[in-house]
Amino acid sequence: MGQFGRILRDRPGAPMQEWINTIPNDGLIYYRGLFNSDRIMPTSPQALSEILNQKSYDFVKPAQVREGIGRLLGHGLLLVEGDEHKFQRKNLLPAFAFRHIKSLYPIFWDKGCEMIQAMTAEIQQAQSRHQTTTTSGIATEDSKANVHSPFQAQPDHNASGNATENSDKNVHSIEQAQFNYQPSESARGDSQPNVHHQAQPTHYPSEIARGTRQANVHSIERAQFNIPPPEIARGDSQSNAHQQAQSTYQPSENTRGESQPNVCSSMTADIQGAQASHYTSGSAPEGSKSNVHSTSTATIGPAQSGLYTSGNVPEERQSNVHSATAASIRQAQSNQYQTPGSVTGGRQSNVHSKTTAELERPQSCNQFSENATEESQLNVHSTMTASKTQAQSDHQSPGSVTEEGQANVHSTLIEVSQWTSRAALDIIGIAGLGIEFDSIKNPAAPLAVQYRNVLQPTAQAQILAVMSMVIPGFIIRNMPLQRNNDVWQAVKVIRATCHQAISEKTSVFEKTGHFPNNDILGIAMESGAFHGDALVDQLMTFLAAGHETTATSMIWVIYQLSKHPEIQRRLREEIRHNLPSPSSTHKVDDKMIDSLPYLHAVTQEILRHTPAVPMTVRTARIDSTILGYFIPKSTRVIIAAQAVNCSKALWGEDAYEFKPERWLGEGRSGNGGATSNYANLTFLHGPRSCIGQSFAKAEFKCLLAVLIGRLSVSLVDPNWIPEIKGGITAKPKGGLTVKATIIEGW
């Protein structure tokens, strides 16, 4: 079996990547494959130059490969050999000339904008559904409680309950005096709190009681605050007593039909600076609302600051008392920010705060505001700092953050591969065939569905690929298997689409006497070199290979940017500073995109680091030589892009790292610091190099710019390692799901 078992088990290209960096060699590595058949892997630029440039037609694609993927990709430029390949490439080159590619940038950008607008709408809809069905602050007839934690950008939801004729609790706890945001709340005739917790990954759920008493215990130790929740009374009175003594809150009990005071007291020996920010918003139709904040600032011996009372409770009374005593107060300042909320059948308050601080000896202060209509809603925010460098109050919609990096209220899970695949398919539809597939707007578009079915790596497809090494292709293709049925159905739809495009172009020619030459098909037909099925085969090649490789590379760049937030932020800053918002009507051209050095660096690095096609296979058509070594006819030669692209001998000790900076600096934008062009095999080299590499890079940059310019992305599990499955391209099994947050301001 040779090394076949390991190659089959590992991710595509992984064994070769290890061998190139651990096995001493002089440009060639020899190993054995299935049935101990000979395999040769070139590792040096000299060996690669011989195979890909000087003797490119002596080493051809194996017949099994051509038959296997030819059904789906067509027998076009990618698979033909010899003189036929030379003829087709010559006549297709004008479609991929730099002048023509430049004219396609606006198409790439517009489709990218369409993609990100659709993604934005989906994220906002998901947030709206989340708010309505869970606990975003909107309640009907009953109230709900929800806990959200942005701890390490990972959403974690605590248990919450429902309350009728009782009150829900709204708790905000802040650790180490780092205050990021305040949530928004809404109410429809009932009350609903929204709980946000930023601290350690330990969350305290809210407790809801129906006609019973509630007790809550909060402890404060050093700079770790768990702010005691307010209580809401409906037709009755509730109160909550919280006392801080020796860094521990004692629980309080709530009763109905009685009144209780709410007392919060704290003491500290020394406060360098004290600042309290009060946020109150909302309206109270059909009821009354009072919001009183008082604070005293003085240089006094025993200093006492304030009584905070707010709210009107029908039939009963509620009081909130806060007292603080200090030995020395050098500075005290009280700022109150009021931000009106939106009201639907009740009222909604939306409060956001950002405070950057260092706290030596913290003091906990609580603020309560209560708004009453027929029922009540309560939102509590507290913040304390000794030294404030910046305070900012922002009005944000759920699911978004400011460009300055304010912590997000919500993030939404999105599956990246579906969006990038549909966007790339729409682009090749317009730029390749002159047809609008509309798959961004319609995920159920026929062509998008067929490609989704057959391009996903499956166990059955892999088994058939292995079987094709020893079983004739016509037997494999006629086996009664689901994989074969899927491929035949996809081929039927794809070929019908190509015939439709050709028919439309022919109709235009009959009316005008010339072919539209603003797409690949028009240029190919104008050349007169392609007709009938030969033309369909070319279109099938560009449709499948043209969109699948770009979509796969987009998956990998989002994965890497999710792992490296500092790279993501730097890229976003460059994009926002130099490119117009996707929501604007400003046009984008090639000069604007290609003038961004960091966008170029990230693009080049992901194509190097994780090539969409990690390996390609050649077979010696005749007896030949490589670096003077005799290579018998039919010997398999493995062009391992994944291995060469991460060769430490060619890229240095940091070859495994995702490092866009290697492409920055004088003379590095084209080679990343490598000494040979053959150090990067993503698009191969020579006469068989990828004809569409300029097209692919331009398309990739535009899609990446609009996506990262608008969204912040992070992994659901920071430690997740994707399982990679091979097919036409190598991508994560099951796709890539990330947490996405809309970044406002662009």
Side-chain angles (χ1 to χ4, degrees):
M1 293 292 288
Q3 298 293 329
F4 178 76
R6 182 184 176 188
I7 293 171
L8 190 64
R9 289 191 305 270
D10 284 1
R11 63 180 176 85
M16 293 77 176
Q17 181 174 307
E18 177 187 329
W19 298 337
I20 200 172
N21 289 303
T22 59
I23 298 177
N25 64 89
D26 58 358
L28 293 176
I29 291 178
Y30 170 87
Y31 67 94
R32 295 186 182 275
L34 185 63
F35 303 129
N36 286 326
S37 54
D38 295 334
R39 298 288 185 270
I40 300 294
M41 184 179 77
T43 63
S44 69
Q46 295 78 12
L48 291 164
S49 176
E50 273 195 55
I51 298 167
L52 298 176
N53 197 357
Q54 301 167 27
K55 302 175 180 178
S56 60
Y57 293 109
D58 287 351
F59 297 94
V60 299
K61 287 186 172 65
Q64 295 96 323
V65 173
R66 295 200 302 269
E67 292 177 4
I69 65 176
R71 287 191 294 169
L72 189 60
L73 270 64
H75 294 278
L77 182 65
L78 186 64
L79 298 178
V80 295
E81 297 291 345
D83 291 339
E84 180 63 22
H85 178 269
K86 295 176 184 178
F87 173 81
Q88 291 187 12
R89 188 177 180 94
K90 177 182 177 180
N91 286 282
L92 288 171
L93 275 174
F96 297 96
F98 181 67
R99 182 181 62 181
H100 183 239
I101 298 300
K102 288 197 302 181
S103 70
L104 297 177
Y105 274 73
I107 295 175
F108 301 155
W109 179 260
D110 289 346
K111 274 299 173 184
C113 292
E114 183 181 337
M115 176 191 72
I116 200 61
Q117 297 287 44
M119 294 176 73
T120 300
E122 182 172 288
I123 291 171
Q124 291 173 340
Q125 289 171 6
Q127 295 298 340
S128 178
R129 290 193 300 268
H130 178 74
Q131 291 174 343
T132 303
T133 59
T134 57
T135 57
S136 66
I138 302 176
T140 59
E141 299 183 2
D142 287 315
S143 59
K144 305 175 182 179
N146 192 17
V147 179
H148 302 274
S149 169
F151 180 78
Q152 292 184 350
Q154 303 298 317
D156 193 2
H157 303 282
N158 290 335
S160 61
N162 298 326
T164 58
E165 302 182 1
N166 274 297
S167 61
D168 297 349
K169 299 179 180 180
N170 191 352
V171 182
H172 301 264
S173 70
I174 303 174
E175 182 182 16
Q176 295 178 351
Q178 297 176 355
F179 310 105
N180 292 322
Y181 69 93
Q182 305 293 346
S184 62
E185 297 186 5
S186 306
R188 283 176 192 259
D190 280 325
S191 63
Q192 179 187 15
N194 193 356
V195 182
H196 298 258
H197 177 110
Q198 177 173 346
Q200 296 179 343
T202 302
H203 310 294
Y204 300 90
S206 59
E207 297 180 354
I208 309 300
R210 297 175 181 268
T212 60
R213 297 182 176 184
Q214 304 177 28
N216 197 2
V217 180
H218 302 268
S219 65
I220 297 181
E221 184 176 357
R222 295 182 181 179
Q224 300 175 354
F225 301 102
N226 290 321
I227 305 302
E231 302 291 346
I232 304 174
R234 301 164 47 130
D236 294 315
S237 64
Q238 279 185 320
S239 60
N240 193 9
H242 301 273
Q243 183 177 11
Q244 179 181 348
Q246 296 181 354
S247 302
T248 304
Y249 277 111
Q250 300 298 330
S252 63
E253 294 188 352
N254 307 319
T255 62
R256 300 175 55 84
E258 296 180 352
S259 63
Q260 279 186 324
N262 189 352
V263 181
C264 302
S265 64
S266 62
M267 298 187 66
T268 181
D270 182 26
I271 300 178
Q272 295 294 335
Q275 182 179 21
S277 300
H278 310 291
Y279 303 81
T280 307
S281 64
S283 60
E286 303 180 3
S288 62
K289 167 187 166 184
S290 66
N291 195 352
V292 180
H293 300 269
S294 66
T295 180
S296 59
T297 303
T299 304
I300 55 178
Q304 184 174 7
S305 109
L307 178 66
Y308 298 75
T309 58
S310 64
N312 297 323
V313 179
E315 302 180 9
E316 298 289 345
R317 306 176 63 186
Q318 180 178 9
S319 63
N320 295 325
V321 181
H322 304 263
S323 64
T325 304
S328 172
I329 299 180
R330 298 181 181 179
Q331 179 182 357
Q333 184 179 6
S334 176
N335 294 326
Q336 179 170 339
Y337 299 80
Q338 297 186 355
T339 308
S342 60
V343 180
T344 306
R347 77 224 168 270
Q348 178 182 14
S349 64
N350 191 356
V351 184
H352 305 269
S353 70
K354 178 181 180 181
T355 305
T356 303
E358 291 183 12
L359 190 61
E360 292 182 0
R361 296 194 179 188
Q363 178 180 1
S364 170
C365 293
N366 301 328
Q367 306 167 32
F368 297 86
S369 67
E370 181 176 350
N371 303 325
T373 56
E374 297 176 357
E375 297 173 89
S376 61
Q377 179 183 10
L378 200 57
N379 193 3
V380 181
H381 307 272
S382 70
T383 156
M384 185 85 180
T385 179
S387 173
K388 176 187 173 188
T389 59
Q390 180 180 358
Q392 181 176 358
S393 176
D394 295 314
H395 186 95
Q396 297 173 330
S397 60
S400 64
V401 298
T402 60
E403 187 175 357
E404 289 78 6
Q406 187 175 2
N408 61 294
V409 179
H410 299 290
S411 61
T412 300
L413 299 184
I414 61 170
E415 206 289 296
V416 175
S417 64
Q418 296 296 325
W419 287 104
T420 59
S421 180
R422 282 152 48 196
L425 183 60
D426 277 1
I427 286 174
I428 197 65
I430 295 177
L433 280 70
I435 294 179
E436 175 60 81
F437 294 145
D438 243 358
S439 61
I440 293 176
K441 297 177 182 177
N442 179 22
L447 205 61
V449 171
Q450 296 304 324
Y451 276 124
R452 190 157 57 241
N453 289 340
V454 297
L455 292 178
Q456 289 296 330
T458 64
Q460 195 173 93
Q462 289 183 313
I463 292 172
L464 290 178
V466 173
M467 292 174 61
S468 68
M469 297 180 181
V470 294
I471 299 175
F474 73 91
I475 296 178
I476 299 292
R477 291 191 298 271
N478 287 285
M479 287 182 175
L481 299 173
Q482 183 62 44
R483 172 65 180 178
N484 283 330
N485 292 335
D486 290 344
V487 172
W488 285 121
Q489 181 61 33
V491 169
K492 181 180 178 181
V493 174
I494 295 167
R495 295 189 77 89
T497 302
C498 294
H499 280 294
Q500 175 192 347
I502 294 170
S503 178
E504 291 177 0
K505 289 287 192 294
T506 302
S507 297
V508 172
F509 177 79
E510 291 172 350
K511 294 177 181 178
T512 63
H514 62 84
F515 291 103
N517 61 358
N518 57 344
D519 53 55
I520 296 172
L521 175 58
I523 294 173
M525 294 181 72
E526 191 174 41
S527 71
F530 305 97
H531 306 280
D533 286 342
L535 187 55
V536 171
D537 282 340
Q538 298 299 334
L539 297 181
M540 290 179 67
T541 297
F542 294 128
L543 277 175
H547 94 273
E548 176 66 4
T549 52
T550 299
T552 300
S553 293
M554 283 294 297
I555 294 172
W556 290 121
V557 77
I558 296 303
Y559 172 72
Q560 289 294 340
L561 293 177
S562 296
K563 290 177 60 180
H564 299 89
E566 70 286 354
I567 297 176
Q568 182 182 160
R569 284 192 294 269
R570 180 176 176 181
L571 177 61
R572 183 178 299 113
E573 289 173 1
E574 181 183 76
I575 291 167
R576 289 186 165 213
H577 184 72
N578 294 282
L579 297 177
S581 166
S583 303
S584 72
T585 58
H586 295 289
K587 298 298 181 182
V588 170
D589 58 23
D590 60 295
K591 295 181 180 62
M592 297 173 68
I593 296 294
D594 292 337
S595 66
L596 305 184
Y598 205 63
L599 176 62
H600 171 80
V602 171
T603 298
Q604 292 288 84
E605 181 66 355
I606 196 61
L607 294 175
R608 176 203 72 87
H609 185 272
T610 317
V613 182
M615 291 189 301
T616 187
V617 183
R618 296 285 189 268
T619 296
R621 181 178 61 85
I622 59 175
D623 290 345
S624 186
T625 61
I626 304 174
L627 297 180
Y629 292 95
F630 176 69
I631 306 297
K633 179 181 178 180
S634 300
T635 300
R636 292 286 179 92
V637 177
I638 309 301
I639 310 298
Q642 183 67 63
V644 174
N645 287 11
C646 293
S647 169
K648 293 181 180 180
L650 299 174
W651 292 96
E653 289 301 315
D654 61 355
Y656 285 14
E657 296 179 22
F658 178 72
K659 187 178 179 182
E661 286 73 20
R662 74 175 78 245
W663 300 88
L664 300 176
E666 186 177 355
R668 302 176 69 91
S669 64
N671 56 36
T675 57
S676 171
N677 290 335
Y678 289 93
N680 192 339
L681 297 183
T682 299
F683 296 104
L684 300 180
H685 293 281
R688 300 305 304 262
S689 64
C690 176
I691 194 173
Q693 61 177 297
S694 296
F695 182 105
K697 288 180 181 179
E699 173 189 20
F700 183 90
K701 287 181 180 180
C702 290
L703 293 179
L704 178 59
V706 295
L707 197 153
I708 293 301
R710 174 65 59 85
L711 300 180
S712 172
V713 293
S714 60
L715 295 177
V716 177
D717 176 6
N719 299 317
W720 177 68
I721 299 176
E723 179 183 356
I724 304 174
K725 293 297 183 181
I728 292 178
T729 60
K731 53 189 175 182
K733 181 181 179 180
L736 174 64
T737 298
V738 298
K739 295 187 299 180
T741 305
I742 300 169
I743 305 294
E744 299 292 351
W746 189 68

